Amino acid sequence: MAGRTVRRGACLLLGALWWFSALRLALAPGAGVLEGAIAAGGWGLSLLPVHCVPKSAAAGAVGSGRWRRRWREIRRRGGRATRASRHRRWGGGSGPW
C-alpha cells in the first residue's frame, strides 16, 4: 500500500514539474534550457507504449524459444541458413556475373 502511495506521489510531482516547465516555456520570456529539457523529456516519455502485456498473455505472440530452435537447425545443417546449394546461392556460373 505504501508503494502505491509513493508511486502516485512521484507521478503527481513529476507531472506538476512538467506542466510548470511547459507553461513557463510558453508564457515566460526568460525560460531557458532547463525548462526545455524537462518539457522535451516529459513529451518523450509520453511516446512510450503504456498498453503492454507480458509476451505470454499477448495474442499471436511467437514463443521465446523460436530463434534458439532455428539456430540449432542451422548448425545441424552445417551452417547454411537455406536449403539451396552453395552454387545456386552464389550464382554457380549461370548468372549474369
Side-chain angles (χ1 to χ4, degrees):
M1 188 70 173
R4 181 184 297 175
T5 305
V6 170
R7 275 191 307 243
R8 286 183 182 173
C11 287
L12 185 65
L13 178 69
L14 291 173
L17 179 66
W18 183 83
W19 275 107
F20 175 76
S21 65
L23 289 175
R24 186 167 159 88
L25 270 175
L27 302 175
V33 176
L34 181 63
E35 288 90 352
I38 292 171
W43 179 79
L45 286 175
S46 72
L47 298 177
L48 292 174
V50 293
H51 300 292
C52 297
V53 296
K55 193 173 188 177
S56 59
V62 178
S64 57
R66 176 182 148 197
W67 291 109
R68 194 172 325 139
R69 286 191 304 270
R70 181 67 180 137
W71 281 114
R72 284 183 191 148
E73 288 175 20
I74 290 171
R75 274 194 237 130
R76 261 189 259 133
R77 283 193 208 136
R80 293 189 310 218
T82 64
R83 293 185 180 149
S85 70
R86 290 181 191 266
H87 297 294
R88 283 187 62 113
R89 282 193 302 160
W90 298 107
S94 62
W97 303 285

